[in-house]
Coordinates of all heavy atoms in Angstrom, one line a residue:
T4 N -119.0 -132.2 -18.5 CA -120.0 -133.0 -17.8 C -119.1 -134.2 -17.0 O -119.5 -134.7 -15.9 CB -120.9 -133.9 -18.6 OG1 -120.4 -134.5 -19.7 CG2 -121.9 -132.9 -19.3
Q5 N -117.8 -134.5 -17.5 CA -117.2 -135.4 -16.6 C -116.4 -134.8 -15.6 O -116.1 -135.4 -14.5 CB -116.0 -136.0 -17.8 CG -116.7 -136.8 -18.8 CD -115.7 -137.4 -19.9 OE1 -114.6 -137.1 -19.8 NE2 -116.2 -138.3 -20.7
R6 N -116.0 -133.5 -15.7 CA -115.2 -132.8 -14.6 C -116.2 -132.2 -13.4 O -115.8 -132.1 -12.3 CB -114.5 -131.6 -15.0 CG -113.3 -132.0 -15.9 CD -112.3 -130.8 -16.3 NE -111.9 -131.2 -17.8 CZ -111.9 -130.5 -18.7 NH1 -112.5 -129.2 -18.6 NH2 -111.4 -130.8 -19.8
L7 N -117.5 -131.9 -13.9 CA -118.4 -131.3 -13.0 C -118.5 -132.1 -11.6 O -118.6 -131.6 -10.6 CB -119.7 -131.1 -13.7 CG -120.8 -130.2 -12.9 CD1 -120.2 -129.0 -12.6 CD2 -121.9 -130.2 -13.9
P8 N -118.7 -133.5 -11.7 CA -119.0 -134.1 -10.5 C -117.8 -134.1 -9.4 O -118.0 -134.0 -8.4 CB -119.1 -135.7 -10.9 CG -119.6 -135.6 -12.2 CD -119.0 -134.3 -12.9
R9 N -116.5 -133.9 -10.1 CA -115.4 -133.8 -9.2 C -115.4 -132.3 -8.5 O -114.9 -132.2 -7.4 CB -114.0 -133.9 -10.0 CG -113.8 -135.4 -10.4 CD -112.4 -135.5 -11.0 NE -113.0 -135.3 -12.5 CZ -112.1 -135.3 -13.6 NH1 -110.7 -135.4 -13.2 NH2 -112.4 -135.1 -14.7
L10 N -116.0 -131.4 -9.1 CA -116.1 -130.1 -8.5 C -117.2 -130.0 -7.6 O -117.1 -129.2 -6.6 CB -116.2 -129.0 -9.7 CG -115.0 -128.8 -10.7 CD1 -115.5 -127.9 -11.8 CD2 -113.9 -128.1 -9.9
V11 N -118.5 -130.4 -7.8 CA -119.6 -130.0 -7.2 C -120.2 -131.3 -6.5 O -121.2 -131.3 -5.8 CB -120.6 -129.4 -8.0 CG1 -120.1 -128.0 -8.6 CG2 -121.2 -130.2 -9.0
G12 N -119.7 -132.5 -6.7 CA -120.3 -133.7 -6.2 C -121.3 -134.4 -7.3 O -121.9 -133.6 -8.0
K13 N -121.5 -135.7 -7.2 CA -122.2 -136.3 -8.2 C -123.6 -135.9 -8.2 O -124.3 -135.7 -9.3 CB -122.1 -137.9 -7.9 CG -122.8 -138.7 -9.0 CD -122.6 -140.1 -8.7 CE -123.2 -141.0 -9.8 NZ -123.0 -142.4 -9.6
G14 N -124.3 -135.8 -7.1 CA -125.7 -135.5 -6.9 C -126.0 -134.1 -7.5 O -126.9 -134.0 -8.3
R15 N -125.2 -133.1 -7.1 CA -125.4 -131.7 -7.7 C -125.2 -131.7 -9.1 O -125.9 -131.0 -9.9 CB -124.5 -130.7 -6.8 CG -124.8 -129.3 -7.3 CD -126.2 -128.8 -6.7 NE -126.3 -127.4 -6.9 CZ -127.3 -126.8 -7.4 NH1 -128.4 -127.5 -7.5 NH2 -127.3 -125.5 -7.4
A16 N -124.1 -132.4 -9.6 CA -123.8 -132.4 -11.0 C -125.0 -133.0 -11.8 O -125.3 -132.4 -12.8 CB -122.4 -133.2 -11.2
L17 N -125.4 -134.1 -11.3 CA -126.6 -134.8 -12.1 C -127.7 -133.9 -12.2 O -128.3 -133.7 -13.2 CB -126.9 -136.1 -11.5 CG -126.0 -137.4 -11.8 CD1 -126.5 -138.3 -10.8 CD2 -126.0 -137.7 -13.2
Q18 N -128.0 -133.2 -11.0 CA -129.1 -132.3 -11.0 C -129.0 -131.2 -12.0 O -129.8 -130.8 -12.7 CB -129.4 -131.6 -9.6 CG -130.5 -130.8 -9.5 CD -130.6 -130.1 -8.0 OE1 -129.9 -130.3 -7.2 NE2 -131.6 -129.3 -7.9
L19 N -127.8 -130.5 -12.1 CA -127.6 -129.5 -13.0 C -127.6 -130.0 -14.4 O -128.2 -129.3 -15.3 CB -126.2 -128.9 -12.8 CG -126.1 -128.0 -11.4 CD1 -124.7 -127.6 -11.1 CD2 -127.0 -126.7 -11.4
I20 N -126.9 -131.0 -14.8 CA -127.0 -131.5 -16.1 C -128.3 -132.0 -16.6 O -128.8 -131.6 -17.8 CB -126.0 -132.7 -16.2 CG1 -124.6 -132.3 -15.9 CG2 -126.1 -133.3 -17.5 CD1 -123.4 -133.4 -15.7
L21 N -129.1 -132.7 -15.8 CA -130.4 -133.3 -16.2 C -131.5 -132.3 -16.3 O -132.4 -132.5 -17.0 CB -130.6 -134.6 -15.4 CG -129.6 -135.8 -15.5 CD1 -130.0 -136.9 -14.5 CD2 -129.6 -136.2 -16.8
T22 N -131.5 -131.3 -15.4 CA -132.6 -130.3 -15.4 C -132.2 -129.1 -16.2 O -133.1 -128.4 -16.5 CB -132.8 -129.9 -13.8 OG1 -131.7 -129.1 -13.5 CG2 -133.2 -131.1 -13.0
G23 N -130.9 -128.9 -16.5 CA -130.6 -127.6 -17.2 C -130.8 -126.4 -16.3 O -130.9 -125.3 -16.8
E24 N -130.9 -126.6 -14.9 CA -131.2 -125.6 -14.0 C -130.1 -124.5 -14.2 O -129.0 -124.8 -14.2 CB -131.1 -126.1 -12.6 CG -131.3 -125.3 -11.5 CD -131.1 -125.9 -10.1 OE1 -130.9 -127.1 -10.0 OE2 -131.0 -125.1 -9.0
M25 N -130.6 -123.2 -14.1 CA -129.6 -122.1 -14.0 C -129.4 -121.9 -12.5 O -130.2 -122.0 -11.6 CB -130.4 -120.8 -14.7 CG -130.7 -121.1 -16.1 SD -129.2 -121.1 -17.3 CE -128.6 -119.4 -17.1
I26 N -128.1 -121.4 -12.3 CA -127.7 -121.1 -10.8 C -127.2 -119.6 -10.9 O -126.6 -119.1 -11.9 CB -126.7 -122.0 -10.3 CG1 -125.5 -122.1 -11.2 CG2 -127.4 -123.4 -10.2 CD1 -124.4 -123.0 -10.5
S27 N -127.3 -119.1 -9.8 CA -126.8 -117.6 -9.7 C -125.2 -117.6 -9.6 O -124.6 -118.6 -9.3 CB -127.4 -117.0 -8.4 OG -126.7 -117.6 -7.3
A28 N -124.7 -116.4 -9.7 CA -123.3 -116.3 -9.6 C -122.7 -116.5 -8.4 O -121.7 -117.3 -8.2 CB -123.0 -114.9 -10.0
Q29 N -123.5 -116.3 -7.3 CA -123.1 -116.5 -5.9 C -123.1 -118.0 -5.6 O -122.2 -118.5 -4.9 CB -124.2 -115.7 -5.0 CG -123.9 -114.2 -4.9 CD -124.5 -113.5 -6.1 OE1 -125.3 -114.0 -6.9 NE2 -124.0 -112.3 -6.4
E30 N -124.2 -118.7 -6.2 CA -124.2 -120.2 -6.0 C -123.1 -120.8 -6.8 O -122.4 -121.8 -6.3 CB -125.5 -120.7 -6.5 CG -125.5 -122.3 -6.4 CD -125.6 -122.8 -5.0 OE1 -125.7 -122.0 -4.1 OE2 -125.7 -124.1 -4.8
A31 N -122.7 -120.5 -8.0 CA -121.6 -120.9 -8.8 C -120.4 -120.7 -7.9 O -119.4 -121.6 -7.8 CB -121.5 -120.2 -10.1
Y32 N -120.1 -119.6 -7.3 CA -119.0 -119.3 -6.4 C -118.9 -120.3 -5.2 O -118.0 -120.8 -4.9 CB -119.0 -117.8 -6.0 CG -117.9 -117.5 -5.1 CD1 -116.6 -117.3 -5.7 CD2 -117.9 -117.3 -3.7 CE1 -115.6 -116.9 -4.8 CE2 -116.9 -117.0 -2.8 CZ -115.7 -116.9 -3.4 OH -114.7 -116.7 -2.5
R33 N -120.1 -120.3 -4.5 CA -120.2 -121.2 -3.4 C -119.9 -122.6 -3.6 O -119.1 -123.3 -2.8 CB -121.7 -121.1 -2.7 CG -121.8 -121.8 -1.4 CD -123.3 -121.8 -0.9 NE -124.1 -122.8 -1.8 CZ -123.9 -124.1 -1.6 NH1 -123.1 -124.7 -0.7 NH2 -124.7 -124.9 -2.3
I34 N -120.2 -123.2 -4.8 CA -120.0 -124.5 -5.0 C -118.6 -124.8 -5.9 O -118.3 -125.9 -6.2 CB -121.1 -125.3 -5.8 CG1 -121.4 -124.7 -7.1 CG2 -122.3 -125.3 -5.0 CD1 -122.5 -125.4 -8.0
G35 N -118.0 -123.7 -6.1 CA -116.5 -123.8 -6.7 C -116.4 -123.8 -8.1 O -115.5 -124.1 -8.7
L36 N -117.4 -123.3 -8.9 CA -117.4 -123.3 -10.3 C -116.7 -122.0 -10.8 O -116.3 -122.0 -12.1 CB -118.9 -123.3 -10.9 CG -119.6 -124.8 -10.7 CD1 -120.9 -124.7 -11.3 CD2 -118.8 -125.9 -11.3
V37 N -116.7 -120.9 -10.0 CA -116.0 -119.8 -10.4 C -115.1 -119.2 -9.4 O -115.4 -119.6 -8.1 CB -117.1 -118.6 -10.9 CG1 -117.9 -119.0 -11.9 CG2 -117.9 -118.2 -9.6
N38 N -114.0 -118.5 -9.7 CA -113.1 -118.1 -8.6 C -113.6 -117.0 -7.9 O -113.2 -116.8 -6.8 CB -111.7 -117.7 -9.4 CG -111.1 -119.0 -9.9 OD1 -111.3 -120.1 -9.4 ND2 -110.4 -118.8 -11.0
E39 N -114.4 -116.0 -8.6 CA -114.9 -114.8 -7.8 C -116.0 -114.3 -8.6 O -116.3 -114.6 -9.8 CB -113.8 -113.7 -7.7 CG -113.2 -113.2 -9.1 CD -112.0 -112.3 -8.8 OE1 -112.3 -111.1 -8.6 OE2 -110.9 -112.8 -8.8
V40 N -116.7 -113.4 -7.8 CA -118.0 -112.8 -8.5 C -117.8 -111.3 -8.4 O -117.5 -110.8 -7.4 CB -119.3 -113.3 -7.8 CG1 -120.4 -112.5 -8.3 CG2 -119.5 -114.7 -7.9
V41 N -117.9 -110.6 -9.5 CA -117.8 -109.1 -9.5 C -119.1 -108.5 -10.2 O -119.6 -109.1 -11.0 CB -116.6 -108.6 -10.3 CG1 -115.3 -109.2 -9.6 CG2 -116.6 -109.1 -11.7
P42 N -119.4 -107.4 -10.0 CA -120.5 -106.7 -10.6 C -120.3 -106.6 -12.1 O -119.1 -106.4 -12.5 CB -120.6 -105.2 -10.0 CG -119.9 -105.4 -8.7 CD -118.8 -106.5 -8.9
A43 N -121.3 -106.7 -12.8 CA -121.3 -106.7 -14.4 C -120.5 -105.4 -14.9 O -119.6 -105.6 -15.7 CB -122.6 -106.7 -15.0
A44 N -120.6 -104.3 -14.3 CA -119.9 -103.1 -14.6 C -118.4 -103.2 -14.4 O -117.7 -102.5 -15.1 CB -120.5 -101.9 -13.9
N45 N -117.9 -104.1 -13.6 CA -116.6 -104.2 -13.2 C -115.9 -105.4 -13.9 O -114.7 -105.7 -13.6 CB -116.3 -104.3 -11.7 CG -116.9 -103.2 -11.0 OD1 -117.3 -102.1 -11.5 ND2 -117.0 -103.3 -9.7
V46 N -116.5 -106.2 -14.7 CA -116.0 -107.4 -15.2 C -114.7 -107.1 -15.9 O -113.7 -107.8 -15.7 CB -116.9 -108.1 -16.1 CG1 -116.4 -109.3 -16.8 CG2 -118.1 -108.7 -15.2
M47 N -114.8 -106.2 -17.0 CA -113.6 -105.9 -17.9 C -112.4 -105.3 -17.1 O -111.3 -105.8 -17.2 CB -114.0 -105.0 -19.0 CG -114.8 -105.6 -20.0 SD -114.1 -107.2 -20.6 CE -112.7 -106.6 -21.5
A48 N -112.7 -104.6 -16.1 CA -111.6 -104.0 -15.3 C -111.0 -105.1 -14.4 O -109.8 -105.2 -14.3 CB -112.1 -102.9 -14.3
R49 N -111.8 -106.0 -13.8 CA -111.2 -107.0 -13.1 C -110.4 -108.0 -14.0 O -109.2 -108.5 -13.5 CB -112.3 -107.8 -12.3 CG -111.8 -108.9 -11.5 CD -110.9 -108.5 -10.3 NE -110.3 -109.6 -9.7 CZ -109.1 -109.6 -9.3 NH1 -108.3 -108.7 -9.6 NH2 -108.6 -110.7 -8.7
A50 N -111.0 -108.3 -15.1 CA -110.2 -109.2 -16.0 C -108.9 -108.6 -16.4 O -107.9 -109.3 -16.4 CB -111.1 -109.5 -17.3
E51 N -108.9 -107.2 -16.7 CA -107.6 -106.6 -17.1 C -106.6 -106.6 -15.9 O -105.4 -106.9 -16.1 CB -107.9 -105.2 -17.5 CG -108.5 -105.1 -18.9 CD -109.0 -103.7 -19.3 OE1 -108.9 -102.7 -18.4 OE2 -109.6 -103.6 -20.3
A52 N -107.1 -106.5 -14.7 CA -106.3 -106.6 -13.5 C -105.6 -108.0 -13.3 O -104.4 -108.1 -13.1 CB -107.0 -106.2 -12.2
I53 N -106.4 -109.0 -13.6 CA -105.9 -110.3 -13.6 C -105.0 -110.6 -14.6 O -103.9 -111.2 -14.4 CB -107.0 -111.4 -13.7 CG1 -108.0 -111.3 -12.3 CG2 -106.5 -112.8 -13.9 CD1 -109.2 -112.1 -12.4
L54 N -105.1 -110.0 -15.9 CA -104.3 -110.2 -17.0 C -103.0 -109.4 -16.7 O -101.8 -110.2 -16.9 CB -104.9 -109.6 -18.2 CG -104.1 -109.7 -19.5 CD1 -103.8 -111.1 -19.8 CD2 -104.8 -109.1 -20.7
K55 N -103.1 -108.3 -16.2 CA -101.7 -107.6 -15.7 C -100.9 -108.4 -14.7 O -99.7 -108.5 -14.7 CB -102.1 -106.3 -15.2 CG -102.5 -105.2 -16.3 CD -102.9 -103.9 -15.7 CE -103.4 -103.0 -16.8 NZ -103.9 -101.8 -16.3
Q56 N -101.6 -109.0 -13.8 CA -100.9 -109.8 -12.8 C -100.3 -111.0 -13.5 O -99.1 -111.3 -13.1 CB -101.9 -110.3 -11.7 CG -101.3 -111.0 -10.6 CD -102.3 -111.4 -9.5 OE1 -103.4 -111.3 -9.6 NE2 -101.8 -112.0 -8.5
I57 N -100.9 -111.6 -14.3 CA -100.3 -112.9 -15.1 C -99.1 -112.3 -15.8 O -98.1 -113.0 -15.8 CB -101.5 -113.5 -15.9 CG1 -102.5 -114.2 -15.1 CG2 -100.7 -114.5 -16.9 CD1 -103.7 -114.6 -15.9
F58 N -99.3 -111.3 -16.6 CA -98.2 -110.8 -17.4 C -97.0 -110.4 -16.6 O -95.8 -110.6 -17.0 CB -98.7 -109.5 -18.3 CG -99.5 -109.9 -19.5 CD1 -100.2 -109.0 -20.1 CD2 -99.6 -111.2 -20.0 CE1 -100.7 -109.1 -21.2 CE2 -100.2 -111.4 -21.1 CZ -100.9 -110.5 -21.7
S59 N -97.3 -109.9 -15.4 CA -96.2 -109.5 -14.5 C -95.3 -110.6 -14.0 O -94.2 -110.5 -13.6 CB -96.6 -108.6 -13.3 OG -97.3 -109.5 -12.4
N60 N -95.9 -111.9 -14.0 CA -95.3 -113.1 -13.6 C -94.4 -113.7 -14.8 O -93.7 -114.7 -14.6 CB -96.3 -114.0 -13.1 CG -96.8 -113.8 -11.9 OD1 -96.3 -113.0 -11.1 ND2 -98.1 -114.1 -11.7
A61 N -94.7 -113.2 -16.0 CA -94.0 -113.7 -17.2 C -92.5 -113.3 -17.1 O -92.1 -112.2 -16.7 CB -94.7 -113.3 -18.5
R62 N -91.7 -114.2 -17.5 CA -90.2 -113.9 -17.6 C -89.8 -113.8 -19.0 O -90.2 -114.6 -19.9 CB -89.5 -115.0 -17.0 CG -89.7 -115.1 -15.5 CD -88.7 -116.2 -14.9 NE -89.1 -116.0 -13.5 CZ -88.8 -117.1 -12.6 NH1 -88.4 -118.3 -13.2 NH2 -89.1 -116.9 -11.4

Side-chain angles (χ1 to χ4, degrees):
T4 59
Q5 294 173 358
R6 288 187 215 131
L7 190 60
R9 286 182 271 179
L10 292 171
V11 301
K13 185 177 180 181
R15 185 69 169 139
L17 283 171
Q18 181 182 1
L19 291 170
I20 294 166
L21 297 175
T22 66
E24 174 187 357
M25 299 292 289
I26 60 173
S27 69
Q29 288 75 19
E30 177 66 4
Y32 178 76
R33 188 185 73 75
I34 64 176
L36 292 178
V37 298
N38 293 334
E39 60 185 276
V40 176
V41 298
N45 298 353
V46 169
M47 288 306 294
R49 182 63 185 131
E51 289 172 359
I53 293 170
L54 182 62
K55 287 177 185 175
Q56 184 179 7
I57 292 169
F58 282 169
S59 73
N60 293 331
R62 294 189 175 148

